[in-house]
């Protein structure tokens, strides 16, 4: 439906159309409620955005890996922020039966504002009306090549701003409205659910649109976006400097040795990576079997590992950001590809990071990363901060408006996350706590030892963090721990609320009751001190 049709519908609604709609609604509630006619025209959007089209149709969908068929109303709202020239699609799925009274906004991943329509199915199966937004750009998680530049060559700041924040609030506003119209009341509660980019989006909502959601699950949040994405290139930079690209089996061997040295009992992960002082140079000269070829670990290999764990530093050793923790796979950021033999490898940089540096920071899509120097790296780091922190830093520690609105939020982060440095999340939470000692009354953080990016790894993954948020919001039961289980189902552990950690008190170590939460030292102090800047409460940056 285009704009002129909207006007037509508008006039219909204010004449006889409204009676017709209500009439048919009585005869066949579902069909009537799930029609564009019933849902248009007056969908209110913030920022004078204009609705271009609304479509609604009953649909059936199969939940993957199950025999569950969902009957739902499928609503798509297409709209634009007029002077921005964007065109955004919001999709809301509303369960025909068994609605639980709640709306759920579902987050995206990487460069994608949405994780796709299939991400709405399990919320719908759980009784939520659920919505997602494409943010006005295609689902493409590794590169923004399709939308970073406008035809005139300038950066597409409107779409970037949609991605950063604006489209997310639009989703909340539209999702709640559509839900209310379809069921005739509610939603009683609204929740945000996301990890990675979805986690960043959750924190953005709490920071910038504090009344949009009652509860937020913000997992492994991609906060500090401008700088952590630069830090993601650090390992590749080190390899370029040394012109040494080890096969992954070398990194795996060093990681395995670190886990062996620092693990608790038979765990296959490190509970306290901040206190794991394993020295990768212990592995230099060791010969390892790499797909049938013996490879000797060199001191350059150990240097790459050590500096990757440390995180990026300036020439005088000042830390810029955190690194990945010992025990974390290198094949996410410090990936190498070997052709023909394990001694013939090259670096395989993470596309989100290189896209960020070349397109968005340097505005040079064809940038030659081989020419990057340490000074250049440091300069890019600060350039990113100055240019983008206000838009997408998502590191405002003043959550008082969210608190005053009654919001509740949970973040967890895998300490073996290969893509987003847990140190950045720990740092944010520490600063939030320092700013407001009551933070835990509305925002709790649970480090997840041995867990990868939003899932996987050898550690215990939280089973249902959103359920803990819902319980907190609706029953005022604040979670002290998050129940978690390893992917293979063998170990149950409770994740402790930061800064506490799981402490063994005896018994079967696969049993949740063998541990209590206790302060046993901080998670990051031993790796790195603070990065040399602080973020003040309005999100601007003061260098110290
Ligand atoms: C909902 O509508 C969109 C847009 O037409 C479509 O792409 C999607 O497949 C529909 N979903 C279902 C479950 O039918
Ligand atoms: C789906 O149903 C078939 C037949 O009833 C059954 O064999 C299969 O195990 C079911 N699959 C799942 C994932 O429940
Ligand atoms: C939502 O709120 C309404 C009105 O307060 C109430 O009747 C209803 O039971 C609540 N819960 C659900 C699941 O709809
Ligand atoms: C359709 O909307 C009406 C009123 O707006 C409401 O009473 C009814 O329960 C809704 N139907 C469904 C299936 O939710
Ligand atoms: C070793 O073999 C596996 C399986 O074929 C492959 O995935 C991996 O990339 C190889 N490792 C190296 C370092 O070539
Ligand atoms: C690996 O190191 C051993 C002992 O230091 C040496 O004998 C061997 O030649 C080395 N192998 C390779 C492939 O460099
Ligand atoms: C080494 O890798 C390059 C690609 O990086 C490939 O073109 C070349 O053929 C490989 N050499 C051997 C000996 O396999
Ligand atoms: C943010 O805070 C800094 C320092 O307190 C102040 O100089 C600046 O004007 C503030 N910016 C805004 C937009 O409020």
């Amino acid at each position: 439906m285009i704009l002129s049709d909207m006007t037509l519908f508008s006039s219909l609604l204010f004449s006889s159309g409204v009676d017709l709609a209500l009439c048919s609604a009585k005869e066949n509630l579902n069909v009537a409620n799930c029609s564009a006619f019933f849902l248009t025209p007056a969908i209110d959007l913030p920022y004078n955005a204009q609705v271009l089209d609304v479509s609604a149709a009953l649909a059936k969908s199969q939940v993957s890996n199950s025999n569950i068929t969902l009957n739902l109303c499928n609503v798509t709202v297409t709209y634009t922020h007029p002077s921005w020239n964007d065109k955004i699609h919001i999709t809301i799925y509303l369960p025909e039966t068994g609605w639980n009274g709640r709306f759920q906004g579902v987050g995206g991943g990487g460069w994608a504002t949405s994780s796709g329509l299939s991400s709405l199915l399990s919320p719908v199966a759980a009784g939520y009306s659920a919505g997602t937004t494409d943010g006005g750009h295609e689902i493409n998680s590794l590169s923004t090549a399709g939308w970073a530049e406008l035809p005139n060559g300038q950066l597409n700041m409107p779409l970037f701003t949609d991605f950063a924040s604006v489209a997310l609030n639009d989703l909340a506003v539209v999702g709640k409205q559509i839900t209310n119209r379809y069921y005739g009341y509610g939603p009683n509660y609204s929740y945000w659910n996301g990890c990675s980019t979805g986690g960043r989006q959750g924190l953005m909502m709490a920071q910038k649109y504090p009344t949009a959601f009652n509860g937020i699950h913000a997992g492994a949040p991609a906060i500090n976006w401008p700088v952590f994405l630069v830090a993601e290139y650090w390992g590749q930079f080190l390899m370029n400097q040394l012109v040494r690209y080890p096969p992954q089996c070398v990194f795996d061997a060093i990681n395995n040795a670190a886990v062996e040295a620092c693990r608790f009992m038979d765990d296959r992960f490190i509970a306290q990576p901040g206190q794991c002082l394993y020295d990768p140079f212990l592995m230099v000269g060791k010969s390892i079997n790499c797909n049938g070829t013996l490879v000797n670990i060199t001191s350059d290999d150990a240097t790459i590992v050590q500096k990757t764990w440390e995180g990026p530093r300036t020439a005088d050793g000042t830390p810029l950001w955190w690194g990945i923790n010992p025990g974390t796979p290198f094949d996410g950021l410090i990936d190498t590809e070997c052709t023909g033999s394990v001694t013939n490898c090259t670096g395989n940089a993470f596309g989100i990071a290189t896209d960020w540096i070349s397109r968005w920071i340097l505005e040079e899509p064809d940038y030659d990363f081989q020419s990057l120097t340490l000074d250049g790296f440091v300069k890019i780091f600060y350039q990113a901060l100055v240019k983008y922190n206000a838009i997408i830093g998502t590191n405002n520690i003043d959550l008082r408006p969210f608190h005053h609105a009654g919001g509740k939020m949970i973040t967890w982060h895998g300490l073996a996350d290969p893509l987003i440095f847990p140190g950045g999340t720990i740092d944010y939470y520490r600063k939030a706590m320092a700013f407001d000692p009551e933070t835990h009354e509305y925002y709790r953080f649970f480090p997840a030892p041995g867990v990868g990016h939003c899932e996987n790894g050898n550690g215990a993954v939280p089973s249902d963090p959103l359920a803990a948020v819902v319980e907190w919001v609706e029953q005022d039961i604040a979670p002290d721990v998050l129940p978690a289980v390893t992917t293979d189902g063998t170990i149950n552990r409770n994740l402790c609320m930061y800064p506490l950690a799981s402490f063994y008190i005896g018994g079967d170590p696969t049993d949740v009751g063998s541990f209590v939460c206790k302060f046993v030292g901080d998670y990051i102090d031993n790796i790195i001190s603070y990065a040399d800047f602080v973020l003040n409460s309005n999100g601007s940056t003061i260098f110290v």
Side-chain angles (χ1 to χ4, degrees):
M1 188 189 307
I2 55 165
L3 219 53
S4 54
D5 294 332
M6 295 276 314
T7 320
L8 180 67
F9 269 86
S10 176
S11 55
L12 268 176
L13 193 73
F14 289 108
S15 59
S16 63
V18 75
D19 296 333
L20 278 174
L22 288 175
C23 209
S24 62
K26 274 175 203 141
E27 282 155 24
N28 189 338
L29 286 177
N30 289 1
V31 172
N33 291 19
C34 188
S35 71
F37 181 76
F38 210 89
L39 295 165
T40 55
I43 289 167
D44 280 333
L45 277 159
Y47 297 104
N48 297 320
Q50 278 177 16
V51 174
L52 302 173
D53 183 59
V54 179
S55 71
L58 290 171
K60 284 187 192 305
S61 192
Q62 192 85 14
V63 181
S64 64
N65 301 322
S66 86
N67 287 334
I68 303 169
T69 300
L70 302 171
N71 292 304
L72 51 89
C73 175
N74 178 7
V75 181
T76 305
V77 176
T78 307
Y79 69 99
T80 184
H81 304 101
S83 61
W84 283 13
N85 254 325
D86 53 0
K87 188 175 179 190
I88 301 176
H89 303 89
I90 288 175
T91 304
I92 314 287
Y93 282 2
L94 306 115
E96 241 188 287
T97 55
W99 183 48
N100 64 17
R102 306 176 181 115
F103 169 69
Q104 182 178 142
V106 182
W111 276 116
T113 312
S114 164
S115 304
L117 299 187
S118 62
S119 68
L120 300 179
L121 295 178
S122 58
V124 168
Y128 290 83
S129 68
T132 187
T133 172
D134 69 2
H137 57 90
E138 76 280 16
I139 309 287
N140 179 348
S141 59
L142 280 186
S143 168
T144 56
W147 61 273
E149 293 96 20
L150 293 164
N152 68 6
Q154 284 179 349
L155 283 178
N156 193 340
M157 290 313 286
L159 269 195
F160 186 68
T161 309
D162 281 328
F163 172 69
S165 61
V166 169
L168 309 173
N169 186 49
D170 297 342
L171 168 61
V173 170
V174 170
K176 289 196 261 187
Q177 258 175 89
I178 300 276
T179 299
N180 179 284
R181 286 183 195 194
Y182 185 68
Y183 299 108
Y185 71 97
N188 297 12
Y189 298 99
S190 296
Y191 295 93
W192 181 264
N193 193 14
C195 196
S196 194
T197 277
R200 185 196 65 74
Q201 293 169 330
L203 274 153
M204 179 60 85
M205 296 310 296
Q207 293 167 12
K208 193 167 177 184
Y209 308 103
T211 59
F213 292 101
N214 304 101
I216 293 171
H217 162 228
I223 55 171
N224 305 299
W225 180 275
V227 288
F228 99 78
L229 283 186
V230 177
E232 284 192 338
Y233 191 73
W234 178 243
Q236 296 287 335
F237 170 76
L238 295 169
M239 293 195 293
N240 293 345
Q241 293 293 295
L242 294 167
V243 201
R244 165 73 185 155
Y245 304 92
Q248 288 298 308
C249 50
V250 165
F251 295 136
D252 291 345
I254 300 178
N255 262 328
N256 289 342
V259 171
E260 183 80 19
C262 295
R263 68 183 174 174
F264 166 77
M265 294 176 92
D266 291 334
D267 281 357
R268 291 186 298 131
F269 60 91
I270 301 171
Q272 285 285 325
Q275 292 169 21
C276 178
L277 302 179
Y278 179 76
D279 177 3
F281 284 88
L282 292 172
M283 289 292 282
V284 174
K286 293 242 156 67
S287 188
I288 56 164
N289 185 328
C290 222
N291 282 1
T293 306
L294 286 182
V295 171
N296 285 355
I297 297 181
T298 66
S299 75
D300 278 354
D301 297 343
T303 300
I304 293 164
V305 171
Q306 186 188 47
K307 288 181 183 285
T308 295
W309 287 347
E310 262 175 18
R313 298 192 168 191
T314 64
D316 70 7
T318 306
L320 289 170
W321 205 248
W322 287 267
I324 55 173
N325 284 319
T328 304
F330 275 48
D331 61 0
L333 298 178
I334 313 89
D335 197 21
T336 49
E337 260 176 2
C338 309
T339 312
S341 93
V342 294
T343 55
N344 181 38
C345 310
T346 56
N348 182 27
F350 188 53
I352 294 177
T354 49
D355 195 50
W356 176 240
I357 292 171
S358 63
R359 290 183 186 280
W360 293 93
I361 303 172
L362 300 174
E363 298 184 42
E364 218 180 305
D366 299 326
Y367 180 69
D368 172 18
F369 281 85
Q370 290 292 339
S371 70
L372 185 60
T373 62
L374 180 56
D375 279 353
F377 185 92
V378 174
K379 211 169 130 197
I380 288 170
F381 186 89
Y382 286 114
Q383 237 178 313
L385 200 55
V386 171
K387 206 164 161 181
Y388 292 112
N389 193 55
I391 301 172
I392 200 173
T394 325
N395 45 19
N396 186 347
I397 53 174
D398 185 357
L399 296 169
R400 287 174 303 182
F402 181 67
H403 184 200
H404 292 156
K408 302 285 189 283
M409 178 161 59
I410 287 177
T411 287
W412 68 275
H413 200 141
L415 295 182
D417 189 327
L419 298 179
I420 301 184
F421 312 97
T425 300
I426 295 170
D427 182 55
Y428 173 75
Y429 193 74
R430 287 219 288 213
K431 285 176 180 147
M433 284 203 308
F435 180 76
D436 178 6
E438 306 301 314
T439 299
H440 63 276
E441 288 185 3
Y442 51 91
Y443 181 29
R444 295 188 172 196
F445 168 48
F446 300 86
V451 177
H453 186 56
C454 296
E455 57 185 5
N456 298 332
N458 294 327
V461 185
S463 309
D464 193 350
L466 181 65
V469 175
V470 170
E471 200 176 58
W472 197 3
V473 167
E474 297 181 20
Q475 297 171 51
D476 206 23
I477 301 173
D480 291 328
V481 297
L482 282 189
V485 60
T486 50
T487 306
D488 64 8
T490 57
I491 303 178
N492 289 287
R493 290 274 162 86
N494 281 334
L495 302 183
C496 298
M497 185 167 82
Y498 182 86
L500 307 183
S502 236
F503 181 78
Y504 182 63
I505 51 168
D508 180 352
T510 66
D511 179 1
V512 70
S514 305
F515 295 83
V516 294
C517 292
K518 190 172 161 174
F519 184 75
V520 295
D522 208 327
Y523 284 90
I524 55 175
D525 270 354
N526 288 339
I527 293 182
I528 217 177
S529 64
Y530 284 94
D532 68 338
F533 59 87
V534 293
L535 298 157
N536 72 6
S537 61
N538 66 17
S540 68
T541 303
I542 309 167
F543 292 87
V544 293

